[in-house]
Amino acid sequence: MKDPIKFIRKKILDTCSGSVTLDGSNVLFYNRVPSNANYPYVRVYGLSTSQIDDNQSKYNVECITRIEVVTRFLGDVGGDLDANDIMTQIMNLLITKNQSGFDLSADNFNCYSVTNNGVTYLQDDLTDHTYFRAILELSNKVEQIS
């Protein structure tokens, strides 16, 4: 059995990078956020891969990927609206009714399901800034085809 989560993460990064904006500027997407990153940004990381739909001839897994929007503001300036707007753009790109999954055929996988497992919104009031986060848990069901 092979783990397809790195291919899903790459597909998310490729699909969203350059396609999500805020106030006319591109929002940057990262797998690993650099220490000098500008806000807002989006972090994409794998959470888990679990075997599902067990049968005698195919390996099927569910991969959970987190997509985390991070914005920050000084004191009581700003709010969670920017995080909401960025997350809406991401969901419009990744979750559509006219496609069942990401095309991973070049990597020998068939992604047959993309599901929003929920978005969690968080606010962290720290001494330097107030941070607003929107975290999407994206489920992909994937069949290994070779």
Side-chain angles (χ1 to χ4, degrees):
M1 179 171 77
K2 298 175 185 173
D3 186 357
I5 202 161
K6 70 179 183 180
F7 302 115
I8 292 169
R9 191 170 53 246
K10 182 176 181 340
K11 195 62 86 167
I12 292 168
L13 290 167
D14 290 348
T15 300
C16 293
S17 293
S19 298
V20 176
T21 61
L22 181 68
D23 298 329
S25 296
N26 282 335
V27 176
L28 295 178
F29 281 71
Y30 301 103
N31 176 239
R32 180 109 173 128
V33 180
S35 59
N36 63 347
N38 292 320
Y39 291 83
Y41 65 80
V42 179
R43 180 177 170 225
V44 179
Y45 56 99
L47 185 64
S48 66
T49 300
S50 303
Q51 191 168 344
I52 58 167
D53 301 332
D54 204 19
N55 64 52
Q56 292 180 339
S57 61
K58 301 275 184 183
Y59 287 112
N60 296 300
V61 296
E62 178 181 30
C63 296
I64 305 293
T65 307
R66 282 196 176 150
I67 302 162
E68 182 173 353
V69 175
V70 182
T71 65
R72 79 174 183 183
F73 299 92
L74 287 171
D76 59 358
V77 175
D80 55 356
L81 183 59
D82 288 352
N84 297 141
D85 290 344
I86 294 167
M87 183 55 72
T88 295
Q89 292 177 64
I90 292 167
M91 290 192 303
N92 283 336
L93 289 167
L94 299 179
I95 305 166
T96 63
K97 291 295 183 187
N98 60 359
Q99 74 180 34
S100 60
F102 300 129
D103 181 6
L104 302 177
S105 57
D107 302 305
N108 297 315
F109 291 102
N110 172 32
C111 181
Y112 59 91
S113 172
V114 178
T115 305
N116 172 351
N117 278 358
V119 179
T120 303
Y121 293 97
L122 303 169
Q123 177 179 330
D124 300 315
D125 292 309
L126 303 178
T127 56
D128 64 338
H129 291 89
T130 299
Y131 295 83
F132 295 92
R133 296 184 293 146
I135 305 167
L136 167 63
E137 281 206 6
L138 192 67
S139 165
N140 294 94
K141 293 185 180 173
V142 181
E143 169 189 46
Q144 183 178 318
I145 53 178
S146 69

